[in-house]
Amino acid sequence: MLKAAILLLLLAILTSLFSALYFMLRDTGRSNRMVYALYARVALSALALALIAWGFYSGQLQST
């Protein structure tokens, strides 16, 4: 279950990154949508990092 959540977060991070790229190319500085997409990416990355750390701490994830 934890691995699926981490995978979904990584997909959401990629989606946010590519949406920021799209907004950068289309808006050309007229709106803040790119900035908001990058803020979302940073927040999702922090959440993914926290989930990975919690997985190692709880023993659900192991390094091989």
Side-chain angles (χ1 to χ4, degrees):
M1 184 72 173
L2 182 64
K3 290 179 184 179
I6 292 170
L7 182 64
L8 284 174
L9 274 175
L10 292 177
L11 290 174
I13 290 168
L14 284 175
T15 302
S16 176
L17 184 63
F18 282 111
S19 68
L21 175 66
Y22 176 77
F23 295 145
M24 181 181 70
L25 294 174
R26 290 292 173 191
D27 289 348
T28 61
R30 289 177 285 180
S31 73
N32 289 331
R33 293 192 301 179
M34 181 187 74
V35 174
Y36 295 144
L38 292 176
Y39 282 153
R41 185 183 67 87
V42 169
L44 289 170
S45 297
L47 183 59
L49 186 62
L51 272 180
I52 290 169
W54 181 71
F56 280 119
Y57 178 75
S58 67
Q60 294 181 17
L61 296 176
Q62 296 178 358
S63 178
T64 57

